[in-house]
């Protein structure tokens, strides 16, 4: 169901990502805290490693002690040792360890919430997809996209997080921590990608029937590639190329898809569902859950609700296979 | 009734004395509530991204008072714990007489003061370390 | 009357304890007349006999109620466990279709809700009701019918909530029910959750009240606070925590249901509401809840370990410190469930700090246990095996908790399977394992001399222990590599497949372990040999109970001078059996127990405790109706049912509480005569009112917190051009409530000083003022439109709260007036009036604060 993912392969240029070329590398896959590609995530990983070592040592000491007193010791010890044990193990040792850990933990908090360097990305959680608007520094109007986030490496990006109806949580494990998205309350997050690659993010706060199916891809790019890509995204949609695609565009119009979806440069200007202007350039379909193949496009339009329970988009199961093929071809052509 | 007949004021002396040992944690709780409440109000209403200098000053003052209170609670507990005898009587908090019961209450007050003291010091760390509400 | 036994007494000169106390060794060694002893035993047996036939279910004895309670909780736990297994099957392989999204969401919601509300907390109450009186050498709990009422409420509410899953109507929004997802959810699932569990929360508070009073007032003579069994200390702390933790959730439920039922927009951001308020209220409950579950289970370990080490616990005071310290600090942790909600860093820092600080008192307990084992001669036993397993698991859960309390690390793993692993480690290690240890340990006490199987016990231990670690240890990693919690499926390419398969396979090993345990627990043991009375050679009083079983609890209530009386007081059990100690007889054939003073356990009076009755069952059923009918929008039947519930409770109070005794004092043995009646702070009932109202005040404080929360969260609160409560009527309500309070207080004084008609007049004035106060409180908000904005909604909610309390207070005043007219409340016997006066202190305080908040504050804020 999910497209091949992968991480950390150098990319030649914007918009030319061949999925087949990507391989699964690194530790734990595309959505892993352990597979870091951002400065915040790296700090958290260091912290995790140190705490994990401490955890293992303390666990062995405490349980070793219990095992010894339970099974191995031959006779009772003197009572004053017991008092040393309680004061030393119960008060002194934890106070020292925890003070150090707390100071360290607190000290990294301001950095993790540092203000961004210019680019702002507004992400709105919908049931169950992501509405995305890029606001480059000084921009008056945003570049609208959906269900995929591309970021330039080497700069801190600010995320303005909102939600339409229910609470969601925005999370890209490879880049840093997560932040909840509330209706009627704005939250913010800032992340600094440091490595080029393709990663996966997912909604972390339970948000209804298809909570499990609300993901997105994150593509980190060299700044120049990113600028080129963003300029391409800002442009209106390409005209349908070929008869099949043109027929698809006609079906798109006559089925009323434009009431919910926008395809900039055509009559479709609906705001209810994801913007489809460049849907064909995205790495996934249905908010990070399907590989963008012709078959998947057709299946999605044909029976949305079976793939994503309780989704708002109706199933267009009255369309024949040839109509679905045309529609899918048109959409896939919207690079 | 015999020699240790007490005034049966269950509400005052009874539970009152028992609650007295929790003085230090109550101070912790009040200190915590003041820190949280003031920060929440100021960061939401007054200085969302601004400087927290004044807040820091106020909370440090509150902390000093709280620590003094906890120290006093601990000291009074210490007196009860060691009252009527030398330090070597410390362990005997489990006997069936009045003195032992008082020593026990004193001892628990001291322990709770120690934990509350650490708790208050921990809670003040963020306000000392952070410069803004972000 | 010619020989009125109370002629010598008056309201200001009441019967007092007289005679010798404490008893001397000489008195204790005096032999008991065997004939008298046999006669006493007959009378006691008759008084404490459990009802037979259908009336069996009217029983209120703590051993019956406790056993039913714990078996019911176990049943719900097994149901919730089955849900977990089904979820594990769904997650075993990627893209599985075994369960659909909706059913999976129902299952995980019910799994969490049932484990928390229908198993963990009720199990604490059940076990405490079962064992606490025995620890304290008491005959029963102070209010047996209240335990029965709480239990039946639990059964009705539990079946209602759990049964919804069979009708595909269960809630689907997760056990913390975050709005707006839950407020917008279709169907009645959310309402079932809210009302069903609110009902059970009320039952929990009832149990907490009873347990606190039990520990404070029903200890044996001589058991000072420094001699209490550690379990009693934990019960006291946990009871107190329930009083401060559950009410915020009840207040939250109240607001939530007003939104669900009447569209008052408390959590709707488009009308000034804020979903964050629910998160605060839920977690102010939710985090202490974790410790409410954990502490009583550790208390079981604190009872088992001295027995295993065959010596008194080292560092008794440390354990008390630890319980009390955890009790306090646990209220400063709630925001660590909300670290990713975008609160200011400084606020997060406070909660991070407090979450780390709680590690210290928690850890101390473990070191005290280790120290006790270190200085003792350890006897290996099955309970100790389970305790060791508990510590191994809990320590890991605790250490991952230390990691999670660091806010930035929490941002990385919050809401992932790392959390799922962490919370199951703390709850298995902190609750399941110690409770099973406790069941093995106390089984010979529950079943009076019969033991569970050592072989089966070892089998179930190793199955559960190995299964648990194989299932949950990998989940830490599953979470780190990105799997969020509460997903009903996942794709193939994220690499979570094999880890989930492992967890699923291991979860069936856990289930097998539970099967072995439950079989061992429940299989018939009629032909088992009866072992010794005290098979583990423990030192605490519960092991003095008669084998084979007698219904009276303890034969006579001992004078205690040690923490481990069975070890330190030679011939104690023999003398208890002989009826040498207190209350060896029941003079009038009543069920009685001894009430002692809070600090030093000095005998104060003889308390008559209530026996079996149908009215408690009826009261529970009608209370159930009042909570269950609104789920379906049937408000009229709900109100009728609620009214019947009140009638039942009044009947129960009228016929069974504060009864005028036959004579002023009774000879309780060992040369001591104690009064047979108490009122005011001497009486357990007065304490019950005090404690209940403390919880009630906490719920009220949560509403006030809500008011200030909306003020900080909204740009303008009250909003510009808002309608306000009618100032004149608010002022009138304040005056009237003060009048009603003054008249009630005056009535108590007048009655006590023998001015009975004047007291009755004062009570009448009080009733009238209360009724008028209700009218003016209603009038003050009658014109507001609570659906328009959260401001009028909150004003109206506070008015509803106030009117409800005034109504309760009015019933109390009317009840006292009726009792006085019926001559059941006299200058000497005025417990009801003392309790109602206390109730009115709380009501008046709340009413005046409400008047200030709805009448004056909005003016200052704008």
């Amino acid at each position: 169901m999910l497209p091949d993912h992968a991480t950390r392969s150098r990319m030649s240029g914007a918009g030319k990502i061949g999925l087949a070329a990507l391989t699964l590398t690194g530790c734990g896959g595309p959505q892993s805290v352990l597979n870091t590609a951002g400065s915040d995530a790296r700090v958290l990983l260091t912290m995790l490693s140190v705490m994990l070592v401490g955890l293992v040592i303390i666990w062995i000491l405490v349980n070793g002690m219990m095992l010894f007193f339970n099974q191995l010791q031959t006779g009772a010890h003197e009572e004053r040792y017991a008092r040393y044990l309680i004061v030393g193990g119960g008060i002194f040792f934890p106070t020292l360890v925890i003070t150090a850990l707390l100071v360290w933990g607190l000290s990294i908090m301001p950095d993790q919430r540092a203000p961004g360097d210019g680019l702002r990305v507004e992400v709105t959680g919908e049931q169950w997809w992501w509405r995305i608007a890029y606001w480059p520094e000084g921009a008056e109007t945003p570049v609208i996209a959906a269900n995929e986030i591309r970021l330039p490496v080497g700069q801190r990006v600010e995320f303005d997080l909102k939600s339409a109806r229910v609470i969601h949580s925005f999370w890209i494990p490879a880049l840093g921590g997560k932040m909840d998205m509330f209706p009627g309350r704005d939250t913010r997050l800032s992340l600094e990608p440091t490595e080029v690659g393709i990663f996966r993010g997912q909604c972390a706060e339970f948000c209804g029937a298809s909570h499990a199916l609300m993901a997105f891809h994150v593509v980190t790019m060299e700044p120049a590639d990113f600028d080129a890509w963003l300029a391409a995204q800002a442009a209106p949609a390409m005209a349908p190329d070929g008869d099949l695609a043109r027929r698809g565009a006609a079906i798109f119009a006559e089925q009323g898809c434009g009431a919910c979806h926008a395809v900039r440069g055509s009559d479709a200007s609906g705001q209810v569902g994801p913007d489809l202007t460049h849907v064909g350039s995205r790495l996934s379909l249905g908010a990070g859950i399907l590989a963008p193949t012709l078959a998947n496009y057709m299946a999605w339009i044909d029976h949305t609700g079976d793939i994503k329970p309780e989704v708002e988009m109706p199933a267009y199961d009255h369309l024949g296979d040839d109509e679905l093929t045309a529609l899918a071809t048109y959409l896939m052509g919207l690079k | 009734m015999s020699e240790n007949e007490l005034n049966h004021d269950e509400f005052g002396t009874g539970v009152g004395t028992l609650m007295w040992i929790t003085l230090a944690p109550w101070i912790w709780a009040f200190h915590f509530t003041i820190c949280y409440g003031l920060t929440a109000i100021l960061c939401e209403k007054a200085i969302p991204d601004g400087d927290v200098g004044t807040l820091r000053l106020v909370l440090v003052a509150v902390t000093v008072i709280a620590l003094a209170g906890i120290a006093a609670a601990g000291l009074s507990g210490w007196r009860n714990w060691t009252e009527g005898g030398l330090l070597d009587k410390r362990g005997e908090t489990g006997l069936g007489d009045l003195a032992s019961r008082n020593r026990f209450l004193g001892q628990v007050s001291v322990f709770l003061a120690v934990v509350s003291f650490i708790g208050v010091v921990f809670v003040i760390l963020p306000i000392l370390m952070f410069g803004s509400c972000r | 009357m010619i020989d009125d036994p109370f002629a010598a007494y008056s309201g200001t000169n009441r019967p007092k304890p007289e005679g010798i106390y404490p008893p001397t060794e000489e008195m204790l060694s005096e032999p008991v007349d065997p004939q008298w002893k046999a006669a006493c035993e007959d009378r006691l047996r008759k008084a404490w006999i459990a009802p037979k036939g259908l009336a069996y279910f009217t029983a209120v004895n703590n051993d019956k109620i406790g056993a039913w309670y714990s078996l019911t909780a176990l049943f719900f736990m097994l149901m919730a466990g089955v849900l977990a297994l089904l979820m594990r099957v769904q997650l075993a392989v990627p893209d599985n279709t075994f369960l659909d999204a909706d059913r999976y969401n129902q299952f995980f919601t019910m799994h969490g809700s049932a484990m928390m509300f229908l198993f963990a907390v009720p199990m604490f109450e059940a076990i405490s009701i079962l064992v606490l009186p025995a620890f304290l050498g008491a005959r029963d709990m102070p209010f047996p019918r209240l335990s029965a009422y709480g239990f039946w409420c639990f059964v009705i509410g539990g079946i209602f909530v759990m049964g919804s899953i069979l009708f595909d109507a269960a809630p689907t929004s997760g056990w913390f029910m975050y709005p707006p997802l839950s407020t917008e959810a279709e169907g009645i699932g959310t309402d079932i959750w809210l009302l069903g569990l609110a009902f059970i929360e009320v039952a929990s508070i009832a149990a907490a009240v009873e347990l606190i009073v039990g520990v404070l007032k029903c200890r044996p003579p001589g058991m000072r606070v420094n001699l209490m069994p550690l379990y009693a200390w934990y019960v006291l702390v946990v009871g107190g925590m329930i009083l401060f933790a559950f009410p915020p959730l009840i207040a939250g439920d109240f607001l939530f249901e007003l939104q669900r039922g009447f569209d008052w927009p408390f959590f709707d951001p488009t009308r000034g509401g804020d979903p964050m308020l629910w998160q605060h209220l839920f977690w102010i409950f939710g985090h202490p809840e974790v410790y409410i579950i954990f502490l009583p289970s550790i208390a079981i370990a604190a009872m088992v370990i001295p027995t295993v080490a065959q010596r008194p616990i080292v560092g008794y005071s440390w354990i008390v410190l630890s319980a009390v310290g955890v009790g306090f600090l646990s209220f400063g942790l709630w925001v660590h469930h909300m670290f990713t909600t975008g609160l200011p860093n400084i606020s997060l820092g406070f909660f991070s700090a407090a979450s780390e600080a709680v590690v210290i008192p928690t850890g101390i307990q473990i070191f005290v246990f280790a120290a006790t084992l270190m200085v003792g001669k350890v006897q290996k036993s099955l309970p100790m095996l389970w305790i060791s397993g508990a510590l191994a698991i809990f320590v890991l859960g605790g250490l991952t908790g230390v990691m999670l309390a660091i806010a930035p690390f929490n941002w990385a793993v919050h809401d992932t399977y790392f959390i799922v692993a962490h919370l199951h480690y703390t709850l298995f290690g902190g609750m399941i394992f110690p409770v099973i240890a406790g069941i093995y340990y106390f089984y010979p006490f529950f079943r009076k001399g019969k033991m569970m199987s050592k072989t089966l016990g070892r089998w179930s231990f190793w199955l559960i222990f190995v299964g648990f670690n194989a299932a949950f240890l990998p989940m830490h990693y599953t979470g780190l590599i990105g799997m969020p919690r509460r997903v009903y499926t996942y794709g193939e390419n994220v690499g979570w497949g094999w880890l989930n398969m492992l967890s699923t396979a291991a979860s069936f090993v856990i289930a097998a372990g539970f099967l072995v345990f439950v079989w061992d627990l429940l299989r018939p043991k009629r032909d088992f040999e009866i072992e010794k009375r005290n098979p583990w050679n423990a030192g605490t009083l519960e092991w003095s109970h008669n084998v084979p079983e007698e219904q009276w609890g303890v034969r006579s209530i001992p004078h205690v001078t040690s923490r481990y009386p069975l070890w330190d007081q030679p011939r104690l059990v023999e003398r208890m059996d002989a009826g040498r100690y207190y209350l060896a007889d029941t003079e009038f054939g009543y069920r009685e127990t001894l009430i002692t003073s809070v600090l030093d356990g000095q005998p104060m009076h003889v308390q008559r405790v209530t026996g079996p009755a149908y009215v408690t069952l009826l009261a529970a059923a009608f209370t159930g109706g009042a909570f269950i009918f609104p789920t379906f929008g049937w408000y009229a039947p709900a109100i009728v049912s609620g009214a019947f519930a009140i009638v039942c409770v009044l009947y129960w109070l009228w016929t069974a509480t504060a009864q005028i005794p036959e004579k002023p004092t009774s000879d309780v043995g060992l040369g001591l005569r104690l009064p047979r009646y108490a009122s005011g702070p001497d009486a357990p009932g007065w304490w019950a009112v005090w404690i209940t109202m403390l919880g009630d005040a906490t719920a009220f404080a949560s509403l006030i917190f809500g008011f200030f929360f909306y003020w900080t969260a909204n740009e303008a609160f009250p909003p510009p051009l808002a309608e306000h409560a009618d100032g004149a009527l608010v002022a009138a309500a304040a005056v009237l409530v003060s009048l009603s309070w003054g008249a009630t207080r005056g009535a108590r004084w007048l009655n006590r000083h023998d001015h009975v008609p004047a007291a009755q007049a004062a009570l009448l004035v009080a009733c009238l003022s209360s009724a008028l106060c209700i009218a003016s409180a209603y009038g003050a908000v009658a014109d507001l439109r609570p659906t328009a904005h959260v401001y009028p909604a909150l004003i109206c909610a506070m008015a509803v709260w106030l009117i409800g309390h005034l109504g309760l207070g009015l019933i109390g005043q009317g009840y006292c007036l009726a009792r006085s007219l019926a001559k059941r409340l006299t200058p000497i016997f005025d417990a009801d009036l003392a309790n109602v006066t206390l109730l009115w202190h709380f009501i008046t305080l709340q009413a005046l604060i409400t008047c200030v908040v709805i009448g004056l504050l909005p003016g200052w804020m704008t």
Side-chain angles (χ1 to χ4, degrees), chain C residues 383-467:
Chain C
M384 193 55 213
L385 180 65
W386 284 91
I387 298 279
S388 312
L391 290 179
I393 291 172
F394 179 76
V395 169
L396 185 59
L399 289 170
T400 51
V402 171
M403 296 166 69
L404 289 167
I406 298 293
F409 178 71
N410 191 296
W411 296 337
V413 293
H414 178 71
D415 270 338
T416 67
Y417 263 75
F418 192 91
I419 301 288
V420 176
H422 159 74
L423 75 91
H424 283 92
Y425 265 85
T426 52
L427 291 174
F428 262 79
M431 201 259 165
I432 304 271
F433 274 71
V435 164
I436 296 182
I439 290 172
Y440 277 103
Y441 178 73
F442 288 119
Y443 197 83
F445 162 74
F446 299 150
R447 294 296 305 274
K448 302 300 174 222
K450 290 178 181 173
M451 300 276 264
M452 284 169 74
S453 154
K454 267 184 205 160
T455 322
L456 292 179
R458 267 202 204 101
W459 267 98
S460 67
F461 173 82
W462 286 110
L463 284 170
I464 296 179
F465 186 80
V466 172

Side-chain angles (χ1 to χ4, degrees), chain C residues 214-559:
Chain C
V215 172
L216 288 179
K217 302 292 295 174
C218 300
R219 304 201 301 269
M223 187 186 274
R224 300 170 192 272
V225 283
N226 59 325
L227 304 183
M228 290 200 309
L230 286 168
Y231 193 89
W233 268 106
Y234 280 100
V235 165
L236 193 58
V237 171
V238 171
M241 290 172 70
I242 288 179
L243 287 184
F244 289 103
F246 275 64
L249 181 61
I250 292 177
D253 283 351
F254 172 62
L255 300 180
F256 204 136
E257 194 51 36
L258 285 175
Q259 171 155 3
R260 289 279 301 184
F262 307 101
D263 193 31
W264 294 14
F266 295 106
F267 308 113
D268 177 0
T270 60
R271 287 178 284 168
D274 195 329
M276 282 280 271
L277 178 65
W278 171 261
Q279 298 198 9
H280 280 292
L281 292 179
F282 186 88
W283 290 117
I284 291 174
F285 148 79
H287 203 87
E289 153 94 346
V290 174
Y291 288 93
I292 288 170
I293 293 167
F294 164 67
L295 289 178
S297 317
I298 281 297
I300 291 174
M303 300 304 286
V304 173
I305 284 188
T307 303
V308 168
Q310 286 292 299
R311 55 150 298 139
I313 196 132
V314 179
Y316 178 94
S317 307
W318 288 99
I319 292 267
V320 175
L321 137 89
S322 160
V324 177
V326 168
F328 272 87
L329 291 174
S330 67
F331 282 86
L333 317 183
W334 82 86
V335 166
H336 77 215
H337 298 265
M338 300 163 65
F339 272 164
T340 62
T341 55
L343 293 176
N345 259 345
I346 300 181
S347 302
L348 300 188
F350 295 147
F351 288 91
S352 183
S355 308
E356 296 293 6
V358 79
V359 172
I360 294 167
T362 310
I364 285 172
Q365 302 169 97
I366 293 167
F367 284 93
V368 168
F369 295 158
T372 305
L373 293 172
M374 175 175 155
V375 297
K377 290 182 276 300
V378 177
Q379 297 183 327
K380 284 165 205 160
S381 66
L382 199 50
M384 193 55 213
L385 180 65
W386 284 91
I387 298 279
S388 312
L391 290 179
I393 291 172
F394 179 76
V395 169
L396 185 59
L399 289 170
T400 51
V402 171
M403 296 166 69
L404 289 167
I406 298 293
F409 178 71
N410 191 296
W411 296 337
V413 293
H414 178 71
D415 270 338
T416 67
Y417 263 75
F418 192 91
I419 301 288
V420 176
H422 159 74
L423 75 91
H424 283 92
Y425 265 85
T426 52
L427 291 174
F428 262 79
M431 201 259 165
I432 304 271
F433 274 71
V435 164
I436 296 182
I439 290 172
Y440 277 103
Y441 178 73
F442 288 119
Y443 197 83
F445 162 74
F446 299 150
R447 294 296 305 274
K448 302 300 174 222
K450 290 178 181 173
M451 300 276 264
M452 284 169 74
S453 154
K454 267 184 205 160
T455 322
L456 292 179
R458 267 202 204 101
W459 267 98
S460 67
F461 173 82
W462 286 110
L463 284 170
I464 296 179
F465 186 80
V466 172
F468 173 80
N469 284 294
F472 289 90
L473 196 62
M475 280 187 197
H476 293 102
Y477 183 67
T478 319
L480 287 172
I481 63 170
M483 182 158 165
R485 67 196 283 200
R486 303 179 162 186
V487 291
Y488 79 97
T489 190
Y490 54 92
E492 216 163 312
N493 301 356
V494 275
W496 308 330
W498 67 277
L499 289 160
N500 277 294
M501 180 53 94
L502 176 60
S503 293
T504 300
S507 68
F508 282 88
V509 180
I510 307 178
F514 273 108
L515 273 184
V516 174
F517 166 72
V518 171
W519 159 247
D520 192 18
L521 179 72
L522 298 182
R523 73 198 157 121
K525 300 186 185 68
R526 209 162 291 147
D527 45 355
F528 273 42
E529 265 184 47
I530 289 184
E531 307 242 345
K532 280 186 298 186
R533 191 165 173 174
N534 184 358
W536 313 106
N537 189 25
T540 38
L541 282 178
E542 72 274 23
W543 299 105
S544 69
H545 272 206
N546 300 70
V547 170
E549 184 171 20
E550 295 280 8
Q551 299 287 344
W552 56 49
V554 281
R555 173 65 187 84
S556 62
I557 300 174
H559 179 253

